[in-house]
Amino acid sequence: MGKKIAFIGSSGGNLYKQGGNNLPEMMKEICGQTKAADMEITFVQYVLASGSLDNVGPDSPATLYTWNGTEVQAVFQGTLTEVNVEAEKVDAKLAKKIDDGEIDGVMFVSASPDGANRQAMEACARTKIPMAGTGGSGVALTQNMGCNVLSASGTTGTTNRTRAVAFTTALAKYWKIKYMPVIGNTGENAASKAEGNIWKRINFRGIMMTSLPAFIAMALCLACSKIPGCGSLSDVFDTLVNSIPIVICAIAAKQVSGLDEVGVC
């Protein structure tokens, strides 16, 4: 019997622009990676807002998703405030499952340890089950509660696949399970990802946020080139400047096309 995993969280701020607004696609990646490590998603509690939580308000439309055994399904729609109230009820069910030993590990994205995910997080802290997640402030609060967080990072620069691989890798290492990441989508999977309105996948802020590591590398190189004796780094900086448009184009191609590596090519 494989390890039973719960997936919780919300569409967040930066996450909304980096895959968080499309929960089915996110779950495809997570289910694909966990299956390769003999793990099984058995519980989902996910709050999907109508926009980035950096911009929406309490009265903004939102949807609560749970797991029906094979896929995610919308179980409640309303304002963000109303959805959070319903999410707390689902949170209580998960907390009981954790306390009863029915959940082996938890993956979380942009979670709310002091809100809709409080009860589950408290149960995780009590039982010390392994966890892996992303989302700066949510991760910090989770760790402060005493939870056993194996993998933690911010959301910027991540994708549905990198998050799924990081989460699964951390849990597989903890349980000493052999795991080989599943990379690439072909055939039916690739075709399904290409479906839908392409204009909805164009998000300039999301593309630029994902490209942020390249800009940081360029800035660090420029700073180092000003250090006495490191003037030769100026040529490296010039190369990086010329490479930035290529990085942005590659990321845009992958996100907008929906074809992953094929889109980059």
Side-chain angles (χ1 to χ4, degrees), residues 13-128:
N14 285 335
L15 178 63
Y16 185 86
K17 308 174 189 67
Q18 297 178 47
N21 63 335
N22 192 338
L23 180 58
E25 289 300 330
M26 185 189 299
M27 292 309 301
K28 281 183 181 179
E29 289 289 354
I30 290 176
C31 290
Q33 301 301 331
T34 53
K35 183 178 179 181
D38 193 29
M39 302 176 195
E40 178 186 7
I41 298 295
T42 60
F43 196 99
V44 171
Q45 180 235 46
Y46 190 85
V47 176
L48 175 59
S50 58
S52 168
L53 292 182
D54 294 333
N55 304 316
V56 301
D59 296 326
S60 299
T63 305
L64 174 63
Y65 285 86
T66 59
W67 189 251
N68 65 8
T70 56
E71 61 184 4
V72 288
Q73 62 178 5
V75 295
F76 184 82
Q77 291 182 320
T79 65
L80 183 57
T81 299
E82 293 171 338
V83 168
N84 280 333
V85 171
E86 292 298 316
E88 289 177 4
K89 298 177 183 178
V90 179
D91 184 46
K93 295 179 182 179
L94 176 57
K96 186 178 187 305
K97 285 180 173 290
I98 294 173
D99 284 330
D100 292 344
E102 298 178 21
I103 299 294
D104 299 307
V106 174
M107 297 179 178
F108 64 94
V109 291
S110 297
S112 180
D114 55 354
N117 303 119
R118 178 182 58 81
Q119 299 171 82
M121 293 300 191
E122 290 176 348
C124 289
R126 287 192 297 270
T127 58
K128 300 299 181 182

Side-chain angles (χ1 to χ4, degrees), residues 74-232:
V75 295
F76 184 82
Q77 291 182 320
T79 65
L80 183 57
T81 299
E82 293 171 338
V83 168
N84 280 333
V85 171
E86 292 298 316
E88 289 177 4
K89 298 177 183 178
V90 179
D91 184 46
K93 295 179 182 179
L94 176 57
K96 186 178 187 305
K97 285 180 173 290
I98 294 173
D99 284 330
D100 292 344
E102 298 178 21
I103 299 294
D104 299 307
V106 174
M107 297 179 178
F108 64 94
V109 291
S110 297
S112 180
D114 55 354
N117 303 119
R118 178 182 58 81
Q119 299 171 82
M121 293 300 191
E122 290 176 348
C124 289
R126 287 192 297 270
T127 58
K128 300 299 181 182
I129 65 173
M131 306 177 70
T134 61
S137 58
V139 166
L141 287 172
T142 301
Q143 292 174 319
N144 288 340
M145 293 175 69
C147 295
N148 182 21
V149 183
L150 307 177
S151 173
S153 74
T155 302
T156 301
T158 65
T159 65
N160 287 340
R161 175 163 298 165
T162 60
R163 287 188 294 272
V165 170
F167 296 165
T168 308
T169 299
L171 295 178
K173 184 178 180 180
Y174 178 83
W175 287 314
K176 296 180 173 58
I177 296 174
K178 183 178 180 180
Y179 164 59
M180 181 72 70
V182 178
I183 305 298
N185 285 309
T186 57
E188 183 180 348
N189 289 336
S192 65
K193 289 197 70 175
E195 294 176 356
N197 188 345
I198 189 172
W199 298 107
K200 292 183 178 180
R201 293 198 293 267
I202 298 177
N203 187 305
F204 293 107
R205 188 170 186 273
I207 292 171
M208 296 305 289
M209 288 296 290
T210 306
S211 305
L212 191 57
F215 287 96
I216 293 175
M218 181 180 67
L220 289 174
C221 185
L222 176 61
C224 291
S225 68
K226 303 302 181 181
I227 299 175
C230 297
S232 59

